[in-house]
Amino acid sequence: MSDEELKQGPIHTVHVELGATFAPFGGWEMPVSYAGTVAEHTAVRENVGLFDVSHLGKALVAGPGAAEFLNTTLSNDLTRIGPGKAQYTLCCTENGGVVDDLIVYHVSDDELFLVPNAANTAAVVEALAAAAPAGVTVTNQHRDHAVFAVQGPKSREVLEALGLPTDIAYMGFADAEYEGAPVRVCRSGYTGERGYEVLPRWDDAERVFRALLDAVRAQGGQAAGLGARDTLRTEMGYALHGHELSVDISPLEARVGWAVGWNKPQFWGRDALLREKEAGPARKLWGLRALDRGVLRQDLTVRRDGDEVGRTTSGTFSPTLKIGIALALLDTSAGLEPGDEVTVDVRGRSLRTEVVAPPFVEDHTR
């Protein structure tokens, strides 16, 4: 896709004004950084950061029995939550691969709001629309709403400064207003820190973002781009579709089997996933912590005693730990355990790493 074809979010001109550097992501032109990835990463871990993730998809599933229908398609069990709660779930293929991982907002039994990944929104909407019973509609609302993520130890203070609700349980959400603009606020995020995701209407996005940014700066924080979002999520071992999850990587391999309602009688991919669960996955996601100097990247060969045992799915320099880290799918037949040493081929050099169970850093989401 050429730069001319890249989509732009509702506040692209604000990012330009802030001096952002841009890169394509999921078909969108996205801000990678403003002050530098390490500084933005540190702001989130120590104070607060503000991300524009409006490229994320949005869709509405509505009509009598919408929740019951959705529960027969997506992996997680919607009966575990009720109105005012959100849930991480998966849209799987019949072979047990993952078309997308997404968040479902349970507004009511007849109204569910979905936030899929940008590049996969159309596929998710089309699959659900094709399966929906009479009376249930599936509507792509990609450009109806913006999504801003306020993440970090001081995220509560930021929302309070705008009069937005903060007393929300983890993965709960509330509908509110900011100066007359409808805003949905969810206690969720993708960084490992306490945080909120704020969803205003597309047309209200700029004034809500500017107000949030003023409040973030007042707390010693700053705007953050996708560079910091990636280093933060990698430190937590969070899966990113196209890296740790795909149509060729199952939830069990990616360590997100907890997002599968194993006792449900029906969902896409159920039979294949149950067979895989019984047999055990052939690969499993692990963390790798560099023991030598060097930066790890995705799609590098991992070896143990000279034998190939897997490949990296993501890799970066950890600003928190100040070492190279990676996520990797490793063969379960290799019998690897935390503390074992493996090497990663980095441009012809064998870089020693230690196998660890993610996350690499302490989880502060709750």
Side-chain angles (χ1 to χ4, degrees), residues 30 51-58 146-149 197 226 229:
M30 297 299 300
F51 300 84
D52 173 20
V53 287
S54 299
H55 65 299
L56 291 172
K58 305 98 193 171
V147 185
F148 304 136
E197 291 182 310
L226 289 194
R229 186 171 167 88

Side-chain angles (χ1 to χ4, degrees), residues 40-49 51 151-153 191 193 224 232:
E40 293 160 21
H41 177 112
T42 303
V44 173
R45 288 278 183 249
E46 297 182 357
N47 290 307
V48 63
F51 300 84
Q151 300 285 299
T191 65
E193 299 298 329
L232 290 158

Side-chain angles (χ1 to χ4, degrees), residues 26-155:
W28 293 71
E29 187 175 15
M30 297 299 300
V32 175
S33 69
Y34 309 86
T37 293
V38 172
E40 293 160 21
H41 177 112
T42 303
V44 173
R45 288 278 183 249
E46 297 182 357
N47 290 307
V48 63
L50 173 62
F51 300 84
D52 173 20
V53 287
S54 299
H55 65 299
L56 291 172
K58 305 98 193 171
L60 182 68
V61 181
E68 185 178 356
F69 155 66
L70 209 57
N71 207 32
T72 65
T73 61
L74 303 182
S75 68
N76 214 335
D77 189 350
L78 268 173
T79 65
R80 295 174 181 167
I81 66 169
K85 287 287 189 177
Q87 184 181 70
Y88 177 83
T89 190
L90 308 162
C91 177
C92 294
T93 68
E94 287 305 326
N95 293 327
V98 181
V99 175
D100 197 29
D101 60 331
L102 62 153
I103 302 293
V104 177
Y105 289 68
H106 192 306
V107 182
S108 72
D109 286 346
D110 298 336
E111 181 181 344
L112 299 108
F113 183 72
L114 313 182
V115 181
N117 285 291
N120 301 329
T121 300
V124 171
V125 169
E126 288 168 9
L128 291 173
V136 173
T137 59
V138 183
T139 307
N140 191 331
Q141 297 186 333
H142 211 144
R143 290 184 179 270
D144 290 4
H145 308 274
V147 185
F148 304 136
V150 182
Q151 300 285 299
K154 297 182 180 178
S155 56

Side-chain angles (χ1 to χ4, degrees), residues 222-268:
Q222 59 192 60
L226 289 194
R229 186 171 167 88
D230 193 57
T231 56
L232 290 158
R233 72 94 190 168
T234 303
E235 287 185 347
M236 292 306 301
Y238 291 156
L240 175 63
H241 196 275
H243 291 251
E244 290 72 40
L245 287 169
S246 74
V247 292
D248 298 315
I249 304 173
S250 77
L252 288 163
E253 292 175 323
R255 290 184 182 259
V256 290
W258 54 267
V260 177
W262 297 105
N263 295 324
K264 290 201 305 181
Q266 183 181 352
F267 60 90
W268 291 340

Side-chain angles (χ1 to χ4, degrees), residues 328-351:
L329 281 170
L330 304 180
D331 298 339
T332 52
S333 60
L336 292 164
E337 300 285 347
D340 287 348
E341 186 174 313
V342 295
T343 60
V344 180
D345 292 349
V346 181
R347 297 179 179 177
R349 172 183 168 224
S350 291
L351 191 148

